[in-house]
Amino acid sequence: MQTLAVDHPLVAHKLTTLRDVRTDSPTFRRLADELVTLLAYEATRDVRVAEATVQTPLVPARGVQLASPKPLVVPILRAGLGMLDGMTRLLPTAEVGFLGMIRDEGTLQAQTYATRLPDDLSGRQCYVLDPMLATGGTLAAAIRLLVERGADDVTALCLLAAPEGLKYLEQAFSDISAPIKVVTAAIDSHLNEQGFIMPGLGDAGDRLYGVV
């Protein structure tokens, strides 16, 4: 598994404001959207392309276009929805699937309550959107589901990651040959006793959409 913590001043600036408890939900949503677009730029460096020729106003020109099958973007509900627009801004032709997963706060294990994905993902590159990589259980379950359906390349985009979660993913996918990559704005210090990232930014879903 590969991990990339994006080192860029704009990423750090936006993340700092997201961490601030004084940042309201509308501002948080806007900044999260902008931050995801910056992360997506790095996450798609290995997106598959095919050679193509187009006609310019002057002469034919050789270039590339996204290859088929199209990439699949998979936000994990509900917080992952706050990352979707930022991702599809760079990949407007990508298809979008959805996974509804929730962490049991007692066991810290992920439970799936909704799935909207193609049954066959053979040969597909997938991009999973989950703001917080904390214990790693939810993201691991999502990635394994995609791989079991045939995905052969999975990249996860996270606003923040904890060392414990990254270690969990490495162990969980030691038997997987498909490339697994995590792209994040920062790797924080540790998890607290409740499984929250420290210093973190709080509950991403609540800060995006309010407490419901």
Side-chain angles (χ1 to χ4, degrees):
M1 188 188 84
Q2 292 182 306
T3 302
L4 172 63
V6 177
D7 182 15
H8 192 287
L10 285 179
V11 169
H13 165 74
K14 295 178 188 300
L15 178 58
T16 299
T17 307
L18 288 177
R19 291 187 191 274
D20 193 335
V21 69
R22 298 170 298 178
T23 300
D24 59 20
S25 288
T27 305
F28 192 96
R29 286 194 295 269
R30 176 178 58 80
L31 288 173
D33 178 78
E34 294 171 358
L35 179 54
V36 171
T37 298
L38 295 174
L39 297 180
Y41 180 80
E42 297 294 339
T44 54
R45 283 190 178 275
D46 296 322
V47 68
R48 293 169 186 160
V49 295
E51 291 186 358
T53 299
V54 296
Q55 180 67 44
T56 78
L58 301 175
V59 294
R62 296 176 61 185
V64 298
Q65 295 176 335
L66 292 183
S68 295
K70 297 176 182 178
L72 180 70
V73 177
V74 184
I76 298 179
L77 307 178
R78 70 176 166 138
L81 283 177
M83 304 174 68
L84 182 57
D85 286 347
M87 185 68 188
T88 55
R89 184 172 295 113
L90 284 193
L91 286 177
T93 61
E95 295 182 348
V96 179
F98 296 92
L99 269 177
M101 308 188 82
I102 190 169
R103 186 176 72 165
D104 186 300
E105 296 303 330
T107 65
L108 301 184
Q109 297 299 307
Q111 298 177 346
T112 302
Y113 63 85
T115 305
R116 185 69 175 178
L117 296 169
D119 292 330
D120 185 5
L121 294 174
S122 299
R124 298 287 289 270
Q125 280 184 299
C126 296
Y127 296 89
V128 183
L129 310 180
D130 192 12
M132 311 298 281
L133 171 51
T135 63
T138 299
L139 191 54
I143 293 174
R144 188 166 291 278
L145 189 154
L146 295 174
V147 171
E148 288 175 349
R149 295 196 181 193
D152 64 355
D153 189 310
V154 181
T155 298
L157 283 77
C158 306
L159 300 182
L160 286 179
E164 295 92 333
L166 292 170
K167 183 178 180 180
Y168 182 89
L169 288 185
E170 290 177 357
Q171 295 173 344
F173 297 114
S174 60
D175 61 332
I176 298 295
S177 59
I180 307 294
K181 187 175 183 179
V182 175
V183 177
T184 182
I187 300 173
D188 271 8
S189 173
H190 64 284
L191 297 178
N192 66 10
E193 294 180 355
Q194 289 74 43
F196 284 96
I197 300 174
M198 300 294 288
L201 49 75
D203 186 295
D206 288 349
R207 298 201 65 189
L208 282 163
Y209 303 117
V211 180
V212 295

